[in-house]
Amino acid sequence: MISLNNITKTYKDGTLALQKLSLTIETGEFVYLKGKSGSGKSTLLKILYGQEKVDQGQIILADHLVHKISNRKIHELRRQIGVVFQDYQLLPYKTVFENIAYVLEVTGYPNEKISARVIEALETVGLKHKIFEYPSNCSGGEQQRIAIARAIVHEPIVLLADEPTGNLDPQNAYAILKVLHKINKSGTTIIMATHDQSLVDKLPSRVIELENGYLTKDRSINHTMMIL
Ligand code: ADP
Ligand code: ADP
C-alpha cells in the first residue's frame, strides 16, 4: 500500500539524500527506519507526505501518486497520514484539547463530534486526564503522547514518526514505543525512524536500514542472503 520505486532525491545544494531506493510496505505493518544521522530517514518520511519532491522515481501511498501530486490533492494525501516529530511541536498557548481539536477543525470535521474524537485519541495514549492542561505542564514523555494523539485524531491510515523518542530517557522512550505498537495493532501502518537499536530490540519488527541514502538492509534482503 506504500510503494517507492527507484527514488532519488537531491537537495538544492547538491546533497544526495536518497539514491535508487525501492521499497514496499503493506497495510498494517510496523516498520523501523534505521540509520545514522544524515542517512536519509527524515528525507524519506518527508517524501511520503509530500513535503519534499524527488528527482526521479515513483511513490504510491494509498492510491495517491505522490511523485506527481498537485497542491490541491496534497491535502487529501495528508488527511490519510499522521506525523510525529522528535520535538513534539505542540502549540504552547493552546490547551491539550485545543492542540488536538485544531486538526479536526481545519479539516471541517463535524463540530459536535470533535470532543468525543479528541477524548478517544487521548484515551489511546493514556492521557485523558491532561485534557485541559497546557503542554508546559506536561513532561516530555507526556508531550510526545499528546503529539501522538494529535497525529491519530483524524484516524490516518499511516503514521510517520521521525525519531519520536529522540529527546526522551529510555523509560519514556519505551512507553512511546508501546503506544505506537498499540496503535499499530488497531490497524494503522507505522513507520518509525530511529537510530536506537536497543529500542528496536525491545519490540522487534521489520527493520529497514539506510546508509548514506542507500537502502542497505531489509527483511527481504536478509532473506535473500540467507537463501544464497
Ligand atoms: P528549502 O525549503 O527551499 O528547501 P533550504 O534547503 O534552505 O530551503 O532548507 C530547508 C530546511 O532544511 C531548513 O530548515 C534548513 O535549516 C534545513 N537544512 C538545510 N540544509 C540542511 C542540511 N544540509 N542538513 C539538514 N537540514 C538542512
Ligand atoms: P536523517 O533523518 O537520517 O538524519 P536526513 O534525511 O535529514 O537524514 O538527511 C539526509 C542528507 O540530506 C544529509 O546529508 C543532510 O545533511 C541532507 N539534507 C537534509 N535536508 C536538507 C536540506 N533541506 N537541504 C540540503 N541538504 C539536506
Side-chain angles (χ1 to χ4, degrees):
M1 151 260 212
I2 297 174
S3 136
L4 297 141
N5 179 29
N6 204 22
I7 295 302
T8 295
K9 167 68 185 174
T10 318
Y11 283 103
K12 282 200 300 254
D13 63 359
T15 307
L16 251 172
L18 293 174
Q19 308 196 46
K20 299 180 179 169
L21 189 140
S22 297
L23 182 62
T24 305
I25 296 172
E26 303 298 337
T27 303
E29 278 200 81
F30 190 111
V31 177
Y32 293 105
L33 186 57
K34 262 201 63 191
K36 291 184 195 144
S37 179
S39 60
K41 306 183 296 296
S42 296
T43 301
L44 180 52
L45 297 180
K46 284 176 184 170
I47 280 170
L48 288 175
Y49 63 92
Q51 191 180 319
E52 288 288 350
K53 289 204 160 30
V54 292
D55 322 344
Q56 64 167 57
Q58 296 86 39
I59 307 118
I60 300 174
L61 192 150
D63 299 334
H64 296 281
L65 301 176
V66 184
H67 53 288
K68 51 181 179 186
I69 200 161
S70 65
N71 284 339
R72 195 170 52 83
K73 288 271 184 184
I74 223 161
H75 299 291
E76 284 176 34
L77 169 73
R78 289 183 182 164
R79 270 175 212 175
Q80 295 182 288
I81 301 178
V83 190
V84 179
F85 305 96
Q86 176 169 349
D87 58 354
Y88 327 132
Q89 300 194 8
L90 299 170
L91 299 168
Y93 302 113
K94 288 185 187 283
T95 63
V96 168
F97 175 85
E98 289 163 349
N99 263 282
I100 301 171
Y102 177 73
V103 176
L104 297 176
E105 285 159 9
V106 297
T107 57
Y109 198 81
N111 256 325
E112 66 280 9
K113 291 187 178 167
I114 288 182
S115 294
R117 258 317 291 155
V118 172
I119 290 167
E120 203 181 319
L122 279 171
E123 278 172 344
T124 300
V125 302
L127 284 180
K128 196 176 121 186
H129 58 289
K130 294 280 181 179
I131 191 162
F132 296 125
E133 294 286 355
Y134 283 87
S136 54
N137 285 332
C138 302
S139 70
E142 286 170 345
Q143 289 188 47
Q144 189 58 296
R145 278 147 69 195
I146 293 160
I148 293 171
R150 179 183 58 186
I152 60 166
V153 74
H154 61 302
E155 302 181 271
I157 55 178
V158 183
L159 180 60
L160 307 176
D162 194 352
E163 295 275 3
T165 64
N167 288 347
L168 300 173
D169 60 51
Q171 267 181 337
N172 276 306
Y174 183 47
I176 292 298
L177 192 63
K178 282 195 290 190
V179 166
L180 292 176
H181 277 267
K182 175 178 165 188
I183 291 164
N184 173 247
K185 293 249 156 40
S186 71
T188 312
T189 306
I190 299 196
I191 308 176
M192 172 178 156
T194 183
H195 60 269
D196 187 351
Q197 181 63 40
S198 66
L199 204 55
V200 173
D201 291 338
K202 287 200 171 104
L203 287 173
S205 194
R206 179 179 177 187
V207 176
I208 289 166
E209 196 157 336
L210 296 180
E211 267 180 61
N212 298 323
Y214 284 100
L215 192 158
T216 52
K217 255 188 226 158
D218 189 7
R219 190 179 52 193
S220 51
I221 291 176
N222 289 336
H223 183 68
T224 312
M225 287 187 341
M226 273 161 57
I227 293 168
L228 294 172

